[in-house]
Amino acid sequence: MSSPASGAFTASPLPDDAVELGRIQDAWGIKGWVRILPHSADTSALVASSSWFLQPPEARFARGFSAFSGVVRVTVLEVKAHADGLVAQLQGLDDRNAAEALKGVRILLPRSAFPATPEGEFYWIDLIGLSVVNREGVDLGVVRDLMPTGPTSVLVLEYTETVEGVEQTAERMIPFVAAYIDDVDKARRIITADWQPDY
C-alpha cells in the first residue's frame, strides 16, 4: 500500500481553538482524491481553508493505520461538493492507495480561521454550550447539539427536571428559526427564545 508522498504532511501542533469538522471517509476516484464526511451541513470553513490539520482515527477505528502519527498539517488543493458531502484533493496524494490509507482521519480547523458569517447566521460550534432562556427569563436548558431537519436546524437542549422528587436529565428541542429565536448573544452566551417549558 502506498503512503502519502514524503513531505506532503507537516508535523504541527494543534491550535488551541481547533474544531473537528469532519472525517476522511474513503478514497474518491483513482487520482488520490478523498471523500469527506462533514460533521455539519455548513461546510464553508472546510471549503474556504487552504490547509487542514489532520489527526489519526480514534483508537477504535485505527487498526492498521500507519499513514502518519500525531497531528499533521496538509495543503488543500481543491474541494468540491459531491452527493451529500465533499471531495478533496490534498497535496501529496497522487493515487487511490494513498488516499485509502487516510480512511477515518479526523479533519480539524482553528475556529479563528472560519469565514465570517452574515448578520444573523452562526456556526453550530458557537451555539453548543449556550444557555437558552425564554422571554420571561425562564431557563430552558443548555444547547447540547444541533439537528439538521431539511432547510432548518433544531436546537437540542439538555436540562434538569424533578420527577417524583428525583432530579433527572431531560431533553427539549426548539426550531432554530426567527419565529422562535429572538436573540443570540454570543458574548453573554445566552439565546433568548419565544418558547415555554411545557411546549
Side-chain angles (χ1 to χ4, degrees):
M1 178 180 289
S2 59
S3 358
S6 176
F9 296 163
T10 307
S12 175
L14 192 63
D16 291 339
D17 62 342
V19 179
E20 185 176 317
L21 296 180
R23 293 175 183 270
I24 294 179
Q25 194 172 21
D26 209 344
W28 185 72
I30 60 170
K31 296 184 178 178
W33 285 63
V34 290
R35 185 189 308 274
I36 308 300
L37 180 64
H39 291 333
S40 167
D42 183 351
T43 59
S44 55
L46 282 170
V47 172
S49 182
S50 60
S51 64
W52 294 342
F53 291 88
L54 305 180
Q55 283 186 314
E58 291 156 332
R60 67 181 188 270
F61 303 119
R63 186 176 199 145
F65 181 80
S66 61
F68 62 87
S69 61
V71 177
V72 297
R73 189 172 189 155
V74 64
T75 299
V76 180
L77 301 177
E78 190 174 353
V79 182
K80 300 189 290 193
H82 179 73
D84 58 350
L86 300 171
V87 293
Q89 183 180 28
L90 306 179
Q91 184 173 309
L93 291 186
D94 300 321
D95 62 53
R96 185 174 180 87
N97 289 339
E100 284 177 342
L102 298 182
K103 189 172 182 175
V105 162
R106 296 174 280 169
I107 304 167
L108 302 96
L109 282 179
R111 172 62 186 87
S112 55
F114 289 20
T117 57
E119 183 69 29
E121 293 185 19
F122 305 91
Y123 287 109
W124 62 270
I125 194 66
D126 293 336
L127 302 177
I128 303 296
L130 268 57
S131 297
V132 182
V133 298
N134 67 11
R135 291 174 175 178
E136 294 74 37
V138 176
D139 182 10
L140 298 173
V142 174
V143 180
R144 191 192 71 222
D145 200 1
L146 264 81
M147 184 172 66
T149 57
T152 63
S153 293
V154 172
L155 296 176
V156 181
L157 311 186
E158 188 173 277
Y159 66 99
T160 302
E161 66 178 359
T162 303
V163 178
E164 297 178 356
V166 178
E167 279 196 354
Q168 58 188 29
T169 302
E171 186 179 272
R172 75 168 39 99
M173 299 185 186
I174 302 176
F176 191 64
V177 294
Y180 300 113
I181 303 299
D182 292 338
D183 182 56
V184 176
D185 188 333
K186 290 197 294 183
R188 292 175 55 225
R189 298 189 56 76
I190 293 176
I191 297 172
T192 306
D194 181 13
W195 200 263
Q196 294 300 320
D198 55 354
Y199 283 1

